[in-house]
Amino acid sequence: LMDGWSAPVLVSEVLAAYGQGGSAVSLPKVTPYRDYLAFIASQDSAAGLAAWREALAGLEEGTRLAPRPVQGEAAVAPEQVVLSLDTQLSQSLSRFGREHALTLNTVLQTAYGLLLSRQLNRDDVVFGVTVAGRPAELPGADRMVGLFINTLPLRLTLPPQLPLIDLLKRTQDRQSALLTHQHVGLAAIQQAASLGELFDTLVVFENYPVDRATLGQRSNGLKLGRVEGRDATHYPLALIVQPGEQLQLRFDYRPDLFDRSTIEQLGQRLIRLLEAAVSDASRPIGSLAILDAHERSTILEGWNATAQPVAATTLPALFAAQAQRTPDATAVVFEERTLTYAALDAHANQLAQHLQGQGVGPETVVGLCVERSPEMVVALLGILKAGGAYLPLDPNYPRERLAFMLSDANAPVLITQQALLERLPELATSDRHVVRLDADWPLIARKPATAPAAALDPRHPAYVIYTSGSTGTPKGVTVEHASLANKAVTLGRQFGIGTDHRIALLSSCAFDPSIEQITMPLVCGATIVIVDDITRETPQLIWDQLVRNSVNLLNCTPSFFGSIIPDASQIAPLDHLVLGGEILTTELQREISRAVKVSRITNLYGPTETTIDAIGHALTGDETGAHVPIGRPLPNYRVYVLDSHLEPVPAGVIGELYVSGLGLARGYLNRAGLTSERFVADPHGVAGSRMYRTGDLARWRSDSVLEFLGRADEQVKLRGFRIEPGEIE
């Protein structure tokens, strides 16, 4: 029947009637409601819709803050959180508005839009605002009793560099430009925008023309004592602002969609934005903080407290120390062959001596194209002992891809096997020295079995591994010894790897988990069990070998493990299953739990640029949702979820994932521009440190666990391999 503006008008008329004794009441003549209806009918609806269509042009989607309610469930009655601003801030906001010719409504609406932007990490948001709907062109509209209010969308575009004062003025100007079109119905606007529901939150600024002094006077012995009101909206969240000596913020929310602590936190963040506005409105909006000091410290420091002592060393030094400790222990198992640590060390030393004779040393890239075999492990160690960095080349890759990698990496030496020469492009063998591990071994075996002298520094590269390129050109990631040593030592420590462990080497040499499957066991005294290509392609053969060779740690992609589960019914218990490289679904987790006897499952995450893995999660068996979380940062890594201004987003908010710390790669080989684009200065770390922009979307849970939520770009993954559409094109 009437809106909030009408209430004091109606009450004043009732009191006037009482004041006149209740009979032959004479009230001032008012504009009839039919005049308002006639005014609305006379408006140019086409022009109004065109104005709203222009205001919403380019908006890609509506803004939803609340999770979607379960279909079929009845809406729950709203609850309230009321926050009162202190007198000083309330007065400061009023003074700020006057100084800059801004309404208090504009300031509150803009602050709420900024809050939505930060909560959703979006720079284009829309929310509902309730307008009075009393046209100034209609005489007497301010004294009419009836329902005039209208709910309309308010869209804010929020480039991070825009000064706050400019945003405030722009918001007010755009609202003023739409004043003559506030009669258009929300349903018509949403239909014109063609985006479905535009918003699920509402801001109401209650600024009614109440003459409180008149209402408080006696009329024929009667006086109005107090007024109470109860209202609710059908929106999941509504902010009702009530001006006064102490500005009041009332949040009406659905308790089935939000918990009270979340709403209280939203309220405090809104107040923080209002304080920022009155303190310095010239600041870029991207620099405005909504996290309090404790929250910010927890996210940036508390959840990144991963420091562990690791000596600045190289992988050859770590392996040599282990070989000295356990010379007779088995280092490698392949079919019927075994290599002890002493034998592996001797063979690798001989190859290293030979490679140094070919000019291999620090900063030299050496191509490695061999089958998964003991020779691959010998060659990898031999290259590192010589001081070089190895470039893994999968013999099954297309010839053109192998030729490109060798040429792009400028590798002067290629290690391979006689049987693989025919698979290699002519360019691979004509422009560089080729070492055949089988045919040339009699010559190599004459070299001393002692470690060669190599001026190797932890900052020298250990390997170069190629990934797909967004520009169409594959790029080589260069990883230093310090990063590799940190990963092998700390992950081995975290997994409890010791001499009783047997770890399968299952991955392609061109897939970086293979590096972990080789280096981690070798620095911890464990045994590498090599699975050849033929076995790898037959699930039953895989399980037969795992049982036969007593493998107790298996590392692979979720999709690969899922493909071999049907043949897993009779296998012996597996101590530790490590999955990574792609999303692990809770459905697959449950399937694994039903079919495989496994004591421990770990989900790892990490792009190639962060030395294989950077984040890990030990599964507990009670995971919820569609996907298993990726977990917490691994030792000596730091992980951030940031917005477009590189500011940390609150827990629960989606942002882009950045990784910093000791595991970071040096960069892309011979690609300085691309390196500087993806490896950027870390504003939250020690001076001079860098962080890697992963391009992945993630969010923190309140328990400091990270959830992976897809990509910020068009990159896709297939069985753990990154594929850029640009390269395919």
Side-chain angles (χ1 to χ4, degrees), residues 306-308 310 486-487 490-491 493-494 614 632-638 662-663:
T306 63
Q308 285 190 14
V310 176
N486 171 70
K487 175 51 57 64
T490 60
L491 194 63
R493 190 184 295 160
Q494 188 164 325
R632 298 180 172 93
L634 294 176
N636 298 319
Y637 282 88
R638 291 171 62 89
L662 192 52

Short mmCIF file of all heavy atoms in Angstrom, two decimals, residues 306-308 310 486-487 490-491 493-494 614 632-638 662-663:
data_model
loop_
_atom_site.label_atom_id
_atom_site.label_comp_id
_atom_site.label_asym_id
_atom_site.label_seq_id
_atom_site.Cartn_x
_atom_site.Cartn_y
_atom_site.Cartn_z
N THR A 306 56.79 -21.83 6.18
CA THR A 306 57.24 -23.13 5.67
C THR A 306 58.76 -23.32 5.74
O THR A 306 59.27 -24.32 5.22
CB THR A 306 56.81 -23.30 4.21
OG1 THR A 306 57.47 -22.29 3.41
CG2 THR A 306 55.31 -23.16 4.05
N ALA A 307 59.46 -22.36 6.34
CA ALA A 307 60.92 -22.40 6.29
C ALA A 307 61.48 -23.66 6.96
O ALA A 307 61.08 -24.02 8.07
CB ALA A 307 61.50 -21.16 6.97
N GLN A 308 62.38 -24.33 6.25
CA GLN A 308 63.11 -25.48 6.77
C GLN A 308 64.58 -25.32 6.39
O GLN A 308 64.89 -24.83 5.31
CB GLN A 308 62.58 -26.79 6.20
CG GLN A 308 61.26 -27.25 6.78
CD GLN A 308 60.92 -28.68 6.35
OE1 GLN A 308 61.76 -29.41 5.84
NE2 GLN A 308 59.67 -29.07 6.56
N VAL A 310 67.93 -25.99 4.75
CA VAL A 310 68.47 -26.78 3.63
C VAL A 310 69.79 -26.14 3.23
O VAL A 310 69.85 -24.94 2.97
CB VAL A 310 67.51 -26.82 2.42
CG1 VAL A 310 68.15 -27.56 1.26
CG2 VAL A 310 66.19 -27.47 2.79
N ASN A 486 66.57 -28.38 -2.85
CA ASN A 486 65.53 -28.11 -1.86
C ASN A 486 64.37 -29.08 -2.02
O ASN A 486 63.86 -29.63 -1.04
CB ASN A 486 65.03 -26.67 -2.01
CG ASN A 486 63.80 -26.40 -1.15
OD1 ASN A 486 63.87 -26.35 0.06
ND2 ASN A 486 62.64 -26.26 -1.80
N LYS A 487 63.93 -29.29 -3.27
CA LYS A 487 62.79 -30.16 -3.50
C LYS A 487 63.11 -31.60 -3.10
O LYS A 487 62.32 -32.26 -2.39
CB LYS A 487 62.36 -30.09 -4.97
CG LYS A 487 61.23 -31.04 -5.36
CD LYS A 487 60.03 -30.96 -4.46
CE LYS A 487 59.44 -29.59 -4.38
NZ LYS A 487 58.91 -29.13 -5.66
N THR A 490 63.69 -31.73 1.00
CA THR A 490 62.56 -31.43 1.88
C THR A 490 61.36 -32.33 1.60
O THR A 490 60.66 -32.74 2.53
CB THR A 490 62.14 -29.96 1.76
OG1 THR A 490 61.76 -29.67 0.40
CG2 THR A 490 63.28 -29.04 2.17
N LEU A 491 61.11 -32.66 0.33
CA LEU A 491 59.98 -33.55 0.04
C LEU A 491 60.29 -34.97 0.52
O LEU A 491 59.41 -35.66 1.05
CB LEU A 491 59.65 -33.55 -1.45
CG LEU A 491 58.30 -34.16 -1.81
CD1 LEU A 491 57.17 -33.35 -1.19
CD2 LEU A 491 58.12 -34.25 -3.32
N ARG A 493 62.11 -35.63 3.05
CA ARG A 493 61.94 -35.54 4.50
C ARG A 493 60.46 -35.58 4.87
O ARG A 493 60.06 -36.27 5.82
CB ARG A 493 62.59 -34.24 4.97
CG ARG A 493 62.74 -34.07 6.47
CD ARG A 493 63.29 -32.68 6.76
NE ARG A 493 64.64 -32.51 6.24
CZ ARG A 493 65.21 -31.33 6.00
NH1 ARG A 493 64.54 -30.22 6.23
NH2 ARG A 493 66.44 -31.26 5.52
N GLN A 494 59.64 -34.85 4.13
CA GLN A 494 58.20 -34.79 4.41
C GLN A 494 57.53 -36.14 4.18
O GLN A 494 56.63 -36.53 4.92
CB GLN A 494 57.56 -33.72 3.54
CG GLN A 494 56.10 -33.43 3.88
CD GLN A 494 55.63 -32.11 3.28
OE1 GLN A 494 56.39 -31.15 3.17
NE2 GLN A 494 54.38 -32.07 2.87
N ALA A 614 54.79 -27.37 -5.73
CA ALA A 614 54.92 -26.26 -4.78
C ALA A 614 53.94 -26.37 -3.63
O ALA A 614 54.13 -25.74 -2.59
CB ALA A 614 54.73 -24.93 -5.50
N ARG A 632 48.55 -27.04 1.13
CA ARG A 632 49.36 -25.96 1.70
C ARG A 632 50.73 -25.93 1.02
O ARG A 632 51.17 -26.93 0.45
CB ARG A 632 49.55 -26.18 3.20
CG ARG A 632 48.24 -26.18 4.00
CD ARG A 632 48.50 -26.40 5.48
NE ARG A 632 47.28 -26.21 6.28
CZ ARG A 632 46.46 -27.20 6.61
NH1 ARG A 632 46.73 -28.45 6.24
NH2 ARG A 632 45.37 -26.95 7.32
N PRO A 633 51.43 -24.78 1.09
CA PRO A 633 52.74 -24.70 0.45
C PRO A 633 53.73 -25.70 1.03
O PRO A 633 53.75 -25.96 2.24
CB PRO A 633 53.19 -23.26 0.71
CG PRO A 633 52.30 -22.75 1.80
CD PRO A 633 51.03 -23.51 1.70
N LEU A 634 54.57 -26.28 0.16
CA LEU A 634 55.60 -27.22 0.58
C LEU A 634 56.75 -26.46 1.23
O LEU A 634 56.82 -25.23 1.15
CB LEU A 634 56.08 -28.01 -0.64
CG LEU A 634 55.04 -28.94 -1.29
CD1 LEU A 634 55.62 -29.60 -2.54
CD2 LEU A 634 54.56 -30.00 -0.30
N PRO A 635 57.68 -27.18 1.87
CA PRO A 635 58.77 -26.50 2.58
C PRO A 635 59.54 -25.51 1.70
O PRO A 635 59.88 -25.80 0.55
CB PRO A 635 59.67 -27.66 3.01
CG PRO A 635 58.72 -28.81 3.19
CD PRO A 635 57.70 -28.63 2.10
N ASN A 636 59.76 -24.33 2.26
CA ASN A 636 60.52 -23.24 1.65
C ASN A 636 59.84 -22.63 0.42
O ASN A 636 60.49 -22.00 -0.41
CB ASN A 636 61.94 -23.69 1.31
CG ASN A 636 62.72 -24.08 2.56
OD1 ASN A 636 62.62 -23.42 3.59
ND2 ASN A 636 63.46 -25.18 2.49
N TYR A 637 58.52 -22.84 0.32
CA TYR A 637 57.72 -22.14 -0.70
C TYR A 637 56.80 -21.15 0.00
O TYR A 637 56.41 -21.33 1.15
CB TYR A 637 56.86 -23.13 -1.49
CG TYR A 637 57.59 -23.92 -2.54
CD1 TYR A 637 58.21 -25.12 -2.23
CD2 TYR A 637 57.66 -23.47 -3.86
CE1 TYR A 637 58.87 -25.86 -3.19
CE2 TYR A 637 58.32 -24.20 -4.83
CZ TYR A 637 58.92 -25.40 -4.49
OH TYR A 637 59.58 -26.13 -5.45
N ARG A 638 56.43 -20.11 -0.73
CA ARG A 638 55.39 -19.18 -0.30
C ARG A 638 54.34 -19.13 -1.41
O ARG A 638 54.68 -19.14 -2.59
CB ARG A 638 55.97 -17.78 -0.06
CG ARG A 638 56.89 -17.70 1.14
CD ARG A 638 57.61 -16.35 1.20
NE ARG A 638 56.70 -15.23 1.35
CZ ARG A 638 56.29 -14.75 2.52
NH1 ARG A 638 56.71 -15.31 3.65
NH2 ARG A 638 55.49 -13.71 2.59
N LEU A 662 62.15 -20.81 -2.53
CA LEU A 662 63.40 -21.43 -2.97
C LEU A 662 63.22 -22.31 -4.20
O LEU A 662 64.17 -22.56 -4.94
CB LEU A 662 63.98 -22.26 -1.81
CG LEU A 662 65.41 -22.77 -1.95
CD1 LEU A 662 66.36 -21.64 -2.31
CD2 LEU A 662 65.85 -23.45 -0.66
N GLY A 663 62.00 -22.78 -4.46
CA GLY A 663 61.79 -23.68 -5.59
C GLY A 663 61.57 -22.99 -6.91
O GLY A 663 61.38 -23.67 -7.94
#
